[in-house]
Amino acid sequence: MKEHFMKKHPDKSNKNILYFTDPKNKFEKRKTVTGLFNKTHLNNDKGLLASYKVSLLVAKCGKPHTIGETLILPAVEAILKSMTNLNVTNIISSIPLINNTVSRRIDEMAYDVEIKLCDILKITKFSLQLDESTLRDNEALLQKGIPITNCIACATDGAPAMIGRQRGFIAHLKNAVPGILTVHCVIHRQHLVSKNLSDELFDTMRFVINAVNKIKAKSLNDRLFRQLCHENDEDFERRLVLHTGARWLSKGNCLTRFYNLFQTILEFLQPLDKQLYDELHKRETNIAYLADIFEKLNDVNKNLQGDKINFIKSKFKDINDLIIPEWVLNPFLADIQNLQPSIQEELLEVNHNEEAKIDFKHNGYELFWLKQKSMYPQLWKEVELLIMTFSSTYLVEKGFSAVQQLLTKSRNKLEICERGDLRLMLTSIEPDIISLAGNHQPQGSH
């Protein structure tokens, strides 16, 4: 090789070795068609995943599907151009977020979540929350092959359609699942109790509502009242609110705001409606009493709301009459001498389980029993209903609020029972985005 080099290429015999290696390195690093396609494919794969993740965020926030191409992509482009030196055009073009694409992504993820939920319910005991729905074509998941016998308890709003003895849903449910436990939502009961007023307090409430309506019903009166509040140094930002019987906290909010502005309201109504002024003036004490009472009722109402309220945490008399064993709340401090032998045996095992003690200390009794149910089946049989039964229909009401948020004036034709927006907005189950993205060929934004 050396002899060949000296004879054939004597002019290059004194060259540095880099003279020969540089061309080789440049050749190996040259841009090829295959390399360009591999890089583009990698960017598009990431863009496809980003498309799914952004679509999930759009559904979780209840936003229109057009927000992807009208706001999110332009915002990302502006941020990247301002903060980095990357090729922004290629990045943006690899993320498909047009209206139809976002809709398809949401429906795919919702279907994936539904399959996961159904698979869980087919093999697991569960509780229901039910309320009347006004949505057309609203299909229940229990039609998806889930054994109705897996349902151990059901909470309803107490409406006749739900609890009717002959044709109510609960009657049919008890025929299918004889041992099921049914509960009248504690929040609805609290709301019903708050409606039961004496004649004097009922009249007082009626005059308060009339006064609020007289001020709020006409824009002129509302503007004049606002001006009077400013002149009296009142905080008008906490303005009067209209009362509506359909909202749980409405009456308390209405009375609180009313009493805070009571003197200004009297001053405003005196020349406008003398009779209403006189009625309110002599009922000032009653209004103050109602404002305090309903403020307390609102606090009770808020404490009863939440997706983690169970029988043990509820505070209604018939629920409190249930016997809750001490060992349910703390299995490590309870007296087990008078318990059944099978329960005594498993409780002794729990008391000598050091890992269980640490688990109970960090997670509390609810998560503790859920984790230990397979290890201590006899104890779980006693605990199951107390922990898993819903004492309210809070999650249903939360769903109704989500429907109102989705069906805005500009989206009133959204087929909410067929599309996946509502399911993704409410569920805590995460869709398998990687698997879903793997079923598609990456494409850029159109």
Side-chain angles (χ1 to χ4, degrees), residues 121-279:
L121 296 181
K122 286 176 183 177
I123 59 173
T124 309
K125 299 289 186 181
F126 61 88
S127 298
L128 287 176
Q129 293 185 23
L130 293 176
D131 205 334
E132 295 171 292
S133 171
T134 57
L135 295 177
R136 294 176 297 175
D137 305 322
N138 194 2
E139 186 184 43
L141 269 184
L142 294 179
Q143 298 175 7
K144 304 288 185 177
I146 299 170
I148 189 64
T149 51
N150 283 0
C151 182
I152 61 173
C154 179
T156 72
D157 63 342
M162 290 292 176
I163 61 173
R165 184 175 298 178
Q166 302 299 329
R167 293 186 296 176
F169 173 81
I170 294 299
H172 294 294
L173 186 61
K174 286 184 175 181
N175 288 334
V177 190
I180 194 169
L181 175 65
T182 58
V183 182
H184 184 183
C185 170
V186 293
I187 302 179
H188 280 86
R189 282 192 277 176
Q190 185 266 349
H191 184 55
L192 292 173
V193 168
S194 68
K195 287 184 174 181
N196 189 18
L197 299 174
S198 66
D199 292 341
E200 183 179 356
L201 293 178
F202 180 82
D203 289 339
T204 300
M205 189 68 208
R206 180 166 56 85
F207 286 122
V208 168
I209 294 172
N210 288 344
V212 173
N213 290 342
K214 185 171 286 291
I215 295 172
K216 299 285 290 184
K218 292 184 178 181
S219 57
L220 176 60
N221 286 347
D222 192 38
R223 288 196 302 271
L224 292 174
F225 182 71
R226 178 186 307 199
Q227 183 178 349
L228 182 60
C229 286
H230 289 315
E231 292 174 359
N232 293 347
D233 293 328
E234 296 279 8
D235 183 11
F236 186 74
E237 295 306 317
R238 294 177 57 82
R239 61 185 62 185
L240 293 175
V241 291
L242 292 168
H243 164 59
T244 170
R247 295 189 177 181
W248 287 337
L249 307 181
S250 174
K251 198 176 293 184
N253 293 337
C254 175
L255 285 163
T256 301
R257 304 280 181 88
F258 189 89
Y259 190 70
N260 288 339
L261 298 171
F262 185 71
Q263 296 303 325
T264 303
I265 292 171
L266 290 181
E267 183 180 349
F268 182 80
L269 290 176
Q270 187 171 12
L272 189 65
D273 190 331
K274 187 65 168 60
Q275 182 179 359
L276 183 57
Y277 165 84
D278 291 337
E279 293 292 346

Side-chain angles (χ1 to χ4, degrees), residues 101-117:
T101 301
V102 173
S103 298
R104 287 196 303 271
R105 303 276 190 262
I106 289 174
D107 291 343
E108 289 174 21
M109 289 186 286
Y111 182 68
D112 182 67
V113 167
E114 181 178 319
I115 291 175
K116 289 182 177 180
L117 177 60

Side-chain angles (χ1 to χ4, degrees), residues 249-404:
L249 307 181
S250 174
K251 198 176 293 184
N253 293 337
C254 175
L255 285 163
T256 301
R257 304 280 181 88
F258 189 89
Y259 190 70
N260 288 339
L261 298 171
F262 185 71
Q263 296 303 325
T264 303
I265 292 171
L266 290 181
E267 183 180 349
F268 182 80
L269 290 176
Q270 187 171 12
L272 189 65
D273 190 331
K274 187 65 168 60
Q275 182 179 359
L276 183 57
Y277 165 84
D278 291 337
E279 293 292 346
L280 291 172
H281 189 268
K282 68 182 182 182
R283 285 178 165 82
E284 180 177 0
T285 305
N286 286 348
I287 294 171
Y289 172 77
L290 283 173
D292 288 342
I293 290 297
F294 278 99
E295 184 179 5
K296 297 296 183 184
L297 287 173
N298 279 5
D299 291 339
V300 173
N301 191 302
K302 291 175 183 177
N303 289 332
L304 291 173
Q305 296 180 31
D307 54 0
K308 295 183 179 180
I309 299 296
N310 55 36
F311 265 8
I312 298 174
K313 295 178 181 178
S314 300
K315 301 296 181 183
F316 269 68
K317 185 179 184 302
D318 56 339
I319 294 178
N320 282 342
D321 287 343
L322 290 172
I323 299 175
I324 301 173
E326 292 182 7
W327 60 265
V328 172
L329 300 177
N330 193 332
F332 302 100
L333 298 178
D335 183 8
I336 63 175
Q337 293 182 357
N338 298 323
L339 299 176
Q340 299 175 10
S342 59
I343 295 179
Q344 282 186 358
E345 183 178 345
E346 290 194 354
L347 270 178
L348 285 172
E349 291 182 23
V350 171
N351 278 286
H352 291 87
N353 188 335
E354 294 300 325
E355 291 185 7
K357 289 182 180 180
I358 297 173
D359 190 23
F360 180 83
K361 183 178 179 180
H362 286 90
N363 297 318
Y365 69 91
E366 290 176 282
L367 284 177
F368 170 79
W369 288 119
L370 288 170
K371 289 183 177 180
Q372 304 294 332
K373 63 181 181 181
S374 58
M375 189 175 294
Y376 306 108
Q378 292 298 324
L379 296 180
W380 175 247
K381 193 179 295 184
E382 300 290 326
V383 174
E384 186 177 35
L385 275 176
L386 295 173
I387 289 181
M388 290 188 61
T389 301
F390 293 113
S391 59
S392 75
T393 57
Y394 169 78
L395 292 177
V396 181
E397 304 299 337
K398 184 179 177 182
F400 289 158
S401 297
V403 170
Q404 285 187 330

